Amino acid sequence: MTSDESSWKPGIAPVAVVMISLNEAHNMEAVLENLQGWAQEVFLVDSCSADATVDIALKYGVHVVQRPFRGFGDQWNFALEQLPINAPWTMKLDPDERLSDSLKQEIIDKVDSGSEESFTVPIRLYFMDKRLPSVLRLVRLWKTGVVRFSDVQANEHALSESTPATLEGEIKHMDSPSLDHWVVKQNRYTTAEAISQFENKPLAVSPMLFGNALQRRMWLKRNFWKVPGRYVILFCYHFFVLGAWRAGKVGWIWSHLRTEVYRQWEYKRFEIELTGRLPAKIPAHPGAPDNRVPFYD
């Protein structure tokens, strides 16, 4: 361990990396090692983790605050509005993600030389430790202060007034350390999505079939449930169109499980409509506030 246990040592990139967490101890050391020597600042908004998440973050000198979780969009907007970010650029990162070396250098080159206000980044999925062909491009880097998040329960998106430029270096998404962990995480996400859909909450952006990529995804999200044979189509999309077949059995398992996530979402929404009961929105089993860090209610 080479980190200073009292404060984060500023790295060579003029970027503040912001993360949110709940029980991410299994990822925290690896993601912070990935950021050491590169990020100018690192912030963590923790939802009262019951594991060693906060211990590890403080050991590396991360600026940590805690706040009860009410939804992903809400938590991210709190982070951007309340954290004392000084770096000229801000980056959203999840604890299970790692910046590739090529992306680190590309960011330094682009933010020093261009006039862009925000960037999309390709996010490459790793599942069961195997690299999959699935890549999702999202806004992850922006000039501090120019972005807000869609106020949604899950699958939040960074929104900017300007058209984002593109970066080509990858973020590696190391999806869950085990299938047990993956299933528990998807259970939380599908519950949040079912509640949001039942309450007719607005989507991240207005759905448009012939709009931009995000608007098309929202259109599919709104209309997927009306499509006959939708789960066969969805499996074929993941396995054949996205190319998960290239990953062999792991790709087949991933395609199947991704399809079942949508089925679980639909069944949960049906249960809510049938019974009139809403499941709890807050993630299960948060710990007590940690008196070493500021707490916001």
Side-chain angles (χ1 to χ4, degrees), residues 136-149:
L136 186 63
R137 183 173 281 278
L138 297 171
V139 175
R140 285 301 192 89
L141 178 70
W142 56 85
K143 284 186 177 178
T144 299
V146 305
V147 154
R148 64 180 178 83
F149 277 85

Side-chain angles (χ1 to χ4, degrees), residues 89-230:
W89 290 83
T90 300
M91 185 172 205
K92 175 187 186 293
L93 196 68
D94 293 336
D96 60 359
E97 295 175 337
R98 314 287 179 260
L99 307 184
S100 63
D101 290 341
S102 61
L103 177 60
K104 289 180 179 180
Q105 187 57 53
E106 186 182 9
I107 288 174
I108 293 172
D109 295 340
K110 290 289 181 70
V111 300
D112 283 344
S113 61
S115 58
E116 294 87 356
E117 289 194 340
S118 61
F119 292 91
T120 63
V121 180
I123 302 170
R124 168 75 64 175
L125 180 64
Y126 287 71
F127 184 74
M128 290 186 174
D129 294 333
K130 194 172 184 69
R131 188 177 190 265
L132 294 183
S134 176
V135 177
L136 186 63
R137 183 173 281 278
L138 297 171
V139 175
R140 285 301 192 89
L141 178 70
W142 56 85
K143 284 186 177 178
T144 299
V146 305
V147 154
R148 64 180 178 83
F149 277 85
S150 51
D151 190 9
V152 293
Q153 282 293 310
N155 294 318
E156 72 289 351
H157 292 274
L159 306 175
S160 174
E161 295 295 330
S162 61
T163 301
T166 59
L167 295 170
E168 298 306 322
E170 291 182 348
I171 289 177
K172 301 177 182 179
H173 180 195
M174 315 304 291
D175 197 10
S176 289
S178 67
L179 279 182
D180 178 76
H181 182 276
W182 189 91
V183 170
V184 171
K185 182 170 67 173
Q186 299 305 321
N187 185 45
R188 292 203 311 267
Y189 286 164
T190 53
T191 296
E193 290 285 20
I195 293 171
S196 180
Q197 192 174 56
F198 173 75
E199 294 178 341
N200 199 29
K201 293 289 183 64
L203 299 174
V205 297
S206 298
M208 291 180 61
L209 179 57
F210 300 106
N212 59 35
L214 179 56
Q215 289 171 324
R216 289 195 298 273
R217 285 203 297 272
M218 294 304 103
W219 186 90
L220 288 170
K221 189 174 181 179
R222 175 65 56 81
N223 293 282
F224 171 78
W225 319 103
K226 306 172 186 177
V227 178
R230 53 192 170 275

